[in-house]
Amino acid sequence: MTGAATLLEVNGLKKYFPIRKGLLRRVVGQVRAVDGVSFAIRKGETLALVGESGCGKTTVSRCILRAMMPTAGSIKFTIAGSTVDLATLPRKTLRPLRRHMQMVFQDPFSSLNPRMMVGDIIGEPLLINGMSDRAARRKRVLELMELVGLPGAAINRFPHAFSGGQRQRIGIARALALNPELIVADEPVSALDVSVQAQILNLLLDLQDKLQLTVLFVAHDLSVVKHVADRVAVMYVGRIVELAETEALYHRPLHPYTEALLSAAPTPVPGAVSQRIILERDIADPANPPPGCAFHPRCRHAEARCRETRPELEEIEPGRFVACLRANELALRGIAAMTGPAL
Amino acid sequence: MAETPILSVRNLHTEFAAPEGTVHAVDGVSFDVFKGRTLGVVGESGCGKSVTARSILGIVERPGRVTGGEILLQPADGGTPVDLLKMSPWDMRAVRGPEIALVFQEPMASFSQYYTIGNQIMEGIRLHMGLSAKAARARAIDLLDMVGVPQPARRVDEYPFQLSGGLRQRVMIAMALSCDPRVLIADEPTTALDVTTQAQILDLLRELQQKRGLAIILITHDMGVIAEMAHDVAVMYLGRAVETGAVKDIFAAPQHPYTRALLRSIPTVMAKPRTRLPTIEGSIPQPFNRPVGCAYHPRCTEAVFAACRTEPPPEVGVAGRNVRCYLHGGLPGARA
Amino acid sequence: MFSFLRAKGPALSKAERYAQATQLQLTWWRFRRHRLAMISGIVVALFYVIAIGADFLATTDPHATDSRTSYITPQPIHFFEDDGSFRPHVSGLKGVRDPKTFKLIYTVDPNRHVPVDFLATGYEYSFLGITTTRHLFALRDPQRGDGIFILGTDQLGRDVWSRLMVATRVSLTIGLVGVTISLFLGVLLGGISALYGGWVDTVIQRTIEVIRSMPTIPLWLGLAAALPNDWSVTAVYFSITIIISLLAWTDLARVVRGKFLSLREEEFVMAAELAGASTGRIIFRHMLPSFMSHIIAAVSLALPAMIISETSLSFLGLGLRPPAISWGILLQDAQSIQSLALAPWLLAAAVPVILVILAFNFLGDGLRDAADPYG
Ligand SMILES: Nc1ncnc2c1ncn2[C@@H]1O[C@H](COP(=O)(O)OP(=O)(O)OP(=O)(O)O)[C@@H](O)[C@H]1O
Ligand SMILES: Nc1ncnc2c1ncn2[C@@H]1O[C@H](COP(=O)(O)OP(=O)(O)OP(=O)(O)O)[C@@H](O)[C@H]1O
Ligand SMILES: [Mg+2]
Ligand SMILES: [Mg+2]
């Protein structure tokens, strides 16, 4: 895995939203939704982006797909041996590149046009990208439907006839239609029922093996991430605070926020909560982040310098990135320490 | 568990007359709630958890109707239990609030945006406890303090939209507790919240329970929350409680195939990275198109009896540990 | 009539038919369950049938005055002769000299029966370029002054029923033309406002606010007073329509803008964009169809407002002017207490106004609920 080439490299990505007020809609401030995010995804791996609501996960994924124009930073995408910076590409040049990266959405209801038949929904990217022959398109759509486990008989049905899990399969089939290199999945299972969630997670795992997909998997839930990710990036208020291989991150987190997130994840083991870390206060406001380390007001290990100096994301061990001034001195608890019997 | 339950739901039925057909949203649910204990009601979306809660409080909205069963509430002074379903709507008003209170899933939707949170808490206090405006305000501030809202004296005059999701849920709990209820029904109190905020709220509920001996009905779809919070558990599937029991029993020795499958399919941080989860095949049927017999049989990998397809299995088991599955008895032939 | 709504083959099961139902079909199925809206829809349809066949349904030339037939009370059509045989007829008129004033006045003569024929010839009119004299019913051989006065006559002796028929056409079409214009303006400006945003949006939105904040009656007064007196009836008709629709497009523009903005956030729109779809495809394939039904509902709620506007303008003498005939003008005749006391049947024009307005409102509500059950 480590030898594989880098497919996507994000550097210093920023996205600020202006806050406007008054009749003249003057800009009175900025929401720093994404404030300097850097990471790389290797070909064929799954990188998970985890964090709580409002930390900027969706904004990062939309910037990468250029559904939004980033404020600053570069997004280097390597395709067929050449590298382009998606962050600065003009719309015209961008359009032919879109087929190489597709998105799976969170909401299985709003992500499918209720007025189009399943076949047309899955076939739309094909049609747009030049497959105008109806029969060929139909054949490919049926192929895709089989791939994601939908009955071919459903091709003429409308989305309203499907359950949430099946709709998510339709969304995945649509994303796969153009054989993309990169799939960005923004919380693809968050809106699903527990029993269906597992089906979709498995489907994603299978598809990745079959098609050698590279996946950016966005989630707010560390337990879901554990089942799909090769590496995990933890975000807090617009920045990545820790990035590491999955196993390492769960066993020995290096950032206090990762530790707290891990300990807060509900575990289906009665009596496992005795040592839960409960964070005080609310998540910081990205329009008005605290000075220094954004996490310091909630951090049990914060010191005076955390209030002043903002830690940068650094590789303190091979493959382990963390943005914490005390990363080297703290011994934080991973999953093994927190619960009694493992499942 | 020789103690008598505060609240005992017996064979509750609630239906909705939907255009597609009658929806049996709650179809024979029974469980008991005890003082100082938490009953976790767990199940996937549409299985009737919220409707059960609404039925208990007598606030099922049309076209819904409670069509059968008993909801027995033990009066505070001992005495014989009263059936809430037989009470007049007027008498029910005296039950909602002082006896049983509800915390909703989406706090934003359950607050009025036009009154301060103080006003909204005080309304209930003044209605039920007959306090003066000043005393009510003092109590509102006390309540906010109790649920851990920082600077309660200032927050009391704020509007709901000025609060974060976690604070709103705390205020919601303060409001529910304003009349000292004996039973608190929390309908997915943390589903809309982040895990770290969820941990705060669950901690608060546990603490309140210890201090006041509250009986809590905690409704959730998250087995992790159940494991953490509940003493007793009722697992629901399509309007029925398919399995009830103490939390340890449910997790250590689940008896219903659905409970077993559900427990296996939960992602956890303990798993090995990138492992497939065992799944439950198929999806939850449409509520108006419920399978005949045991509602779970089309997805069941252990279904072995013809009866599963024709007759819903009866509840079998001893007090507090029941299961609705022919694997554990109740087969029509076996009894004869 | 609704065959296009039916699923293709008969072989589909009920569930499969539901699964393959388009949004249009689903909307229709939901709408069908809405009793009041269905009835209202039928009422509205009937009114437009009347509007189309106004002249055919009229019995007497609505413009023909005759001082002898002034203020005749409503005369029913009798279908049977006294002997029970089926011979439709109305009573004729007879002249009587007023013993005091010696004026000749005409009253109903119940003894003289004038036979009524169906699909018979009456006054001449042209419809879709065809000039004809065919009417639903007419008198067989009327003497001077005879007529079918189902709803009586007005001061100038004109048949109220016939005038009401023609007025229905004018009043209902003024609504249609007006709505078409405001629909065009609304969709165009609302769409531009949403798609371009920025200062374009600000300008359009402020304009809408200014228009909406203007008190309508004085504005109409001013605009109507500006219409030259010597304009033809048609010219006035179109000017009034345009005046009304210039004020009415704002609502539609708001609906359209709001829908565009909320749809732009929909994930399926983003999915199309990420697949590389052009702006045109996104707008016409994804966005417009999604709020067509809202526009239809908004239109069916805007129509009655238009009709009311025309009626009130004309009633106040600011809209259409005689010899044009519209509901407002008919009601204008019923303005004075004297005429009302003398001839209460002149109020008949109020009935279709109320009926149509109510029907349109129920229909619009029903359509909206059916199109957007969650919204
Ligand atoms: N179009 C926008 N205009 C202004 N602010 C925005 C916009 N989109 C997002 N934000 C803000 O940016 C921040 C990050 O939002 P984002 O949607 O990326 O978070 P997220 O991590 O995806 O959260 P969630 O888990 O809720 O989906 C939030 O504070 C949000 O309020
Ligand atoms: N107002 C209503 N009209 C018609 N059917 C309803 C109504 N409210 C609930 N139902 C039906 O009752 C069933 C149970 O709904 P309920 O809200 O109790 O589910 P739940 O278990 O709380 O699910 P969730 O996890 O999604 O909150 C659903 O299938 C739903 O279709
Ligand atoms: Mg998001
Ligand atoms: Mg619910």
Side-chain angles (χ1 to χ4, degrees):
Chain A
M1 179 78 45
T2 26
T6 301
L7 179 72
L8 183 83
E9 190 177 344
V10 176
N11 249 314
L13 182 71
K14 291 186 183 170
K15 177 69 190 176
Y16 295 172
F17 295 104
I19 307 173
R20 293 173 193 277
K21 278 241 172 73
L23 194 66
L24 296 174
R25 324 225 345 99
R26 269 215 327 252
V27 177
V28 297
Q30 279 177 325
V31 179
R32 299 170 171 223
V34 176
D35 198 11
V37 160
S38 309
F39 60 85
I41 309 182
R42 297 179 209 117
K43 239 183 162 61
E45 81 166 338
T46 301
L47 177 74
L49 201 55
V50 192
E52 291 178 292
S53 135
C55 72
K57 309 179 294 291
T58 298
T59 310
V60 168
S61 38
R62 296 200 170 169
C63 284
I64 289 174
L65 293 172
R66 267 292 295 278
M68 269 177 191
M69 191 76 194
T71 310
S74 70
I75 302 164
K76 298 243 166 65
F77 188 60
T78 309
I79 184 77
S82 66
T83 303
V84 286
D85 184 0
L86 298 173
T88 52
L89 226 51
R91 279 178 68 104
K92 264 244 166 62
T93 346
L94 185 67
R95 193 171 288 165
L97 287 178
R98 288 217 183 274
R99 58 177 308 153
H100 300 298
M101 36 183 194
Q102 288 291 307
M103 182 150 187
V104 177
F105 295 88
Q106 168 172 5
D107 185 347
F109 289 85
S110 111
S111 57
L112 306 180
N113 187 342
R115 282 169 178 74
M116 284 166 72
M117 286 189 280
V118 169
D120 293 337
I121 292 176
I122 301 175
E124 184 173 34
L126 299 170
L127 177 68
I128 292 170
N129 288 277
M131 190 191 266
S132 46
D133 176 22
R134 274 190 80 91
R137 217 164 52 226
R138 193 186 150 84
K139 190 164 154 270
R140 173 82 178 123
V141 167
L142 286 172
E143 226 172 81
L144 286 162
M145 288 176 74
E146 196 190 323
L147 189 65
V148 299
L150 284 169
I155 191 165
N156 286 334
R157 292 191 196 151
F158 285 85
H160 64 81
F162 293 89
S163 66
Q166 286 172 316
R167 281 159 169 263
Q168 210 56 312
R169 287 175 196 268
I170 299 172
I172 293 173
R174 172 178 61 190
L176 294 177
L178 295 169
N179 277 324
E181 302 281 316
L182 175 70
I183 293 275
V184 176
D186 187 1
E187 312 220 18
V189 296
S190 301
L192 302 180
D193 278 312
V194 197
S195 68
V196 183
Q197 188 173 315
Q199 296 172 4
I200 298 295
L201 287 177
N202 288 347
L203 174 67
L204 285 173
L205 282 176
D206 293 347
L207 287 174
Q208 190 168 24
D209 290 347
K210 236 184 261 176
L211 307 173
Q212 271 80 50
L213 289 170
T214 311
V215 181
L216 177 64
F217 186 95
V218 173
H220 63 257
D221 184 346
L222 276 175
S223 39
V224 166
V225 162
K226 188 81 182 271
H227 288 269
V228 292
D230 295 303
R231 291 190 304 146
V232 181
V234 180
M235 275 187 85
Y236 190 76
V237 198
R239 314 186 112 226
I240 290 181
V241 294
E242 181 164 5
L243 195 163
E245 301 270 331
T246 309
E247 190 70 46
L249 183 117
Y250 282 68
H251 269 279
R252 191 168 57 89
L254 293 179
H255 197 284
Y257 179 62
T258 314
E259 180 193 33
L261 263 189
L262 272 174
S263 107
T267 322
V269 180
V273 284
S274 44
Q275 304 184 44
R276 171 147 298 167
I277 301 163
I278 292 180
L279 291 179
E280 306 272 312
R281 272 177 273 216
D282 293 325
I283 192 164
D285 176 9
N288 191 12
C293 170
F295 185 61
H296 85 252
R298 306 175 80 189
C299 183
R300 345 181 256 157
H301 308 287
E303 291 178 339
R305 58 181 170 141
C306 298
R307 258 160 250 145
E308 285 139 26
T309 320
R310 190 160 79 170
E312 294 301 324
L313 191 67
E314 281 174 59
E315 188 166 11
I316 64 165
E317 284 168 34
R320 298 216 60 173
F321 299 82
V322 62
C324 176
L325 297 175
R326 304 193 56 196
N328 283 318
E329 4 176 322
L330 298 175
L332 303 177
R333 295 190 316 223
I335 40 171
M338 282 181 312
T339 40
L343 270 189
Chain B
M1 235 182 284
E3 209 185 337
T4 46
I6 288 196
L7 186 74
S8 181
V9 173
R10 290 279 147 256
N11 203 18
L12 180 69
H13 285 80
T14 305
E15 300 176 356
F16 286 89
E20 292 88 351
T22 307
V23 176
H24 299 272
V26 180
D27 196 22
V29 165
S30 307
F31 53 69
D32 296 322
V33 191
F34 297 89
K35 187 173 185 320
R37 290 173 74 88
T38 299
L39 170 77
V41 177
V42 65
E44 294 178 280
S45 130
C47 70
K49 308 182 294 291
S50 301
V51 173
T52 304
R54 295 182 154 266
S55 304
I56 293 174
L57 287 162
I59 52 170
V60 179
E61 73 263 22
R62 286 175 56 76
R65 220 156 50 85
V66 178
T67 51
E70 285 177 324
I71 298 170
L72 302 170
L73 179 73
Q74 180 82 31
D77 51 21
T80 50
V82 285
D83 186 355
L84 299 185
L85 291 178
K86 297 211 174 72
M87 273 190 172
S88 70
W90 181 257
D91 291 337
M92 270 310 282
R93 288 171 51 122
V95 172
R96 284 195 294 268
E99 299 283 351
I100 309 175
L102 182 61
V103 175
F104 291 98
Q105 167 172 353
E106 185 30 79
M108 202 60 188
S110 26
F111 280 118
S112 160
Q113 295 305 306
Y114 307 107
Y115 294 95
T116 60
I117 54 171
N119 270 328
Q120 297 183 53
I121 300 176
M122 281 150 65
E123 190 184 333
I125 301 178
R126 298 193 61 187
L127 186 72
H128 289 294
M129 305 179 109
L131 294 183
S132 72
K134 217 171 150 191
R137 187 183 160 85
R139 183 165 163 78
I141 294 175
D142 282 351
L143 284 163
L144 289 181
D145 191 37
M146 179 184 77
V147 296
V149 173
Q151 300 173 285
R154 183 167 69 83
R155 294 282 184 178
V156 75
D157 292 319
E158 287 189 351
Y159 290 87
F161 60 83
Q162 290 173 294
L163 307 178
S164 69
L167 277 185
R168 247 181 258 137
Q169 200 54 284
R170 286 177 191 266
V171 174
M172 190 77 223
I173 292 171
M175 204 152 113
L177 296 181
S178 61
C179 299
D180 270 323
R182 293 183 296 143
V183 182
L184 180 72
I185 306 181
D187 187 359
E188 314 225 16
T190 57
T191 303
L193 303 177
D194 281 317
V195 273
T196 57
T197 321
Q198 164 168 297
Q200 294 173 357
I201 297 291
L202 295 182
D203 196 46
L204 170 69
L205 284 177
R206 249 191 323 256
E207 183 192 316
L208 288 171
Q209 179 169 55
Q210 270 159 22
K211 275 196 202 143
R212 309 171 147 235
L214 265 178
I216 297 180
I217 302 181
L218 180 70
I219 295 175
T220 176
H221 62 259
D222 190 334
M223 274 292 185
V225 171
I226 291 288
E228 177 172 333
M229 295 291 293
H231 301 98
D232 309 302
V233 182
V235 182
M236 285 185 72
Y237 187 77
L238 277 190
R240 300 213 177 96
V242 292
E243 180 164 4
T244 54
V247 69
K248 287 214 173 57
D249 300 339
I250 295 277
F251 280 88
Q255 293 189 337
H256 197 282
Y258 175 63
T259 318
R260 281 203 276 261
L262 195 60
L263 282 172
R264 276 196 303 265
S265 69
I266 301 168
T268 108
V269 289
M270 304 297 166
K272 275 182 54 191
R274 285 179 70 83
T275 41
R276 294 175 53 95
L277 281 160
T279 60
I280 308 180
E281 281 310 307
S283 52
I284 302 166
Q286 296 281 329
F288 45 84
N289 204 0
R290 190 220 305 257
V292 187
C294 168
Y296 183 64
H297 85 257
R299 304 176 77 187
C300 185
T301 44
E302 307 175 36
V304 274
F305 308 105
C308 294
R309 276 172 220 111
T310 52
E311 269 300 298
E315 207 167 45
V316 292
V318 290
R321 183 84 180 104
N322 290 305
V323 59
R324 279 177 183 271
C325 178
Y326 289 124
L327 284 175
H328 301 275
L331 266 179
R335 194 178 290 161
Chain C
M1 180 177 178
F2 290 106
S3 59
F4 69 96
L5 290 167
R6 246 172 258 139
K8 285 142 244 154
L12 298 180
S13 70
K14 195 179 162 207
E16 192 56 29
R17 239 183 46 160
Y18 182 75
Q20 298 198 0
T22 62
Q23 285 297 307
L24 188 65
Q25 281 173 317
L26 290 178
T27 305
W28 166 242
W29 290 343
R30 277 192 296 260
F31 180 75
R32 220 169 32 181
R33 280 202 300 266
H34 209 306
R35 285 289 282 284
L36 193 56
M38 271 298 275
I39 294 170
S40 301
I42 293 169
V43 169
V44 166
L46 282 180
F47 265 98
Y48 276 96
V49 168
I50 291 179
I52 292 170
D55 280 308
F56 178 68
L57 293 170
T59 56
T60 329
D61 184 351
H63 296 287
T65 60
D66 187 343
S67 62
R68 284 163 308 168
T69 53
S70 160
Y71 292 140
I72 304 275
T73 50
Q75 296 298 308
I77 297 180
H78 303 277
F79 285 94
F80 297 98
E81 278 297 351
D82 301 334
D83 60 7
S85 56
F86 181 75
R87 258 181 290 146
H89 64 274
V90 294
S91 300
L93 292 186
K94 68 172 178 205
V96 199
R97 195 129 334 246
D98 187 311
K100 285 200 199 97
T101 61
F102 297 105
K103 234 180 102 182
L104 194 61
I105 50 171
Y106 284 79
T107 57
V108 175
D109 179 0
N111 296 324
R112 197 164 65 82
H113 293 177
V114 187
V116 172
D117 283 341
F118 287 89
L119 298 175
T121 44
Y123 73 92
E124 192 179 274
Y125 64 93
S126 63
F127 179 69
L128 298 175
I130 311 161
T131 307
T132 170
T133 54
R134 196 61 61 186
H135 291 265
L136 181 59
F137 45 91
L139 294 185
R140 189 168 301 154
D141 28 32
Q143 297 175 14
R144 279 192 67 193
D146 281 346
I148 306 172
F149 303 126
I150 303 173
L151 292 175
T153 60
D154 64 4
Q155 190 190 5
L156 299 179
R158 294 171 296 197
D159 176 32
V160 174
W161 166 263
S162 304
R163 286 173 69 74
L164 195 56
M165 291 301 111
V166 177
T168 302
R169 167 184 292 169
V170 174
S171 291
L172 288 183
T173 50
I174 218 169
L176 275 188
V177 175
V179 156
T180 314
I181 297 177
S182 50
L183 182 66
F184 177 74
L185 285 176
V187 172
L188 187 71
L189 292 171
I192 289 178
S193 192
L195 290 178
Y196 285 86
W199 66 268
V200 178
D201 184 30
T202 313
V203 168
I204 294 177
Q205 290 312 307
R206 293 300 101 81
T207 312
I208 289 179
E209 273 153 30
V210 169
I211 292 181
R212 291 172 67 96
S213 64
M214 281 193 278
T216 42
I217 299 269
L219 190 70
W220 284 339
L221 273 172
L223 288 171
L227 295 182
N229 252 327
D230 53 358
W231 276 16
S232 72
V233 171
T234 346
V236 174
Y237 174 96
F238 277 110
S239 324
I240 294 289
T241 321
I242 290 171
I243 292 175
I244 293 176
S245 44
L246 280 184
L247 300 181
W249 63 271
T250 53
D251 276 330
L252 271 165
R254 291 221 149 154
V255 172
V256 169
R257 175 177 179 267
K259 272 285 143 196
F260 257 116
L261 287 183
S262 67
L263 279 171
R264 210 167 52 179
E265 299 300 314
E266 290 281 337
E267 291 181 343
F268 69 80
V269 171
M270 179 178 291
E273 197 184 327
L274 291 183
S278 62
T279 314
R281 185 181 169 88
I282 289 175
I283 292 179
F284 290 104
R285 186 83 175 91
H286 291 280
M287 292 171 100
L288 271 183
S290 301
F291 66 91
M292 236 24 204
S293 45
H294 292 261
I295 291 187
I296 294 172
V299 162
S300 66
L301 292 173
L303 263 170
M306 292 266 170
I307 293 171
I308 282 275
S309 304
E310 183 280 324
T311 306
S312 8
L313 274 178
S314 304
F315 178 77
L316 294 172
L318 304 168
L320 299 178
R321 285 184 285 254
I325 307 171
S326 78
W327 287 342
I329 287 177
L330 292 189
L331 285 171
Q332 202 183 8
D333 290 343
Q335 238 171 14
S336 72
I337 298 285
Q338 284 106 310
S339 56
L340 266 193
L342 215 53
W345 55 86
L346 290 182
L347 269 181
V351 176
V353 177
I354 294 171
L355 266 182
V356 159
I357 304 298
L358 280 179
F360 263 120
N361 276 305
F362 291 137
L363 175 67
D365 282 346
L367 281 177
R368 197 178 41 204
D369 292 350
D372 191 6
Y374 314 103

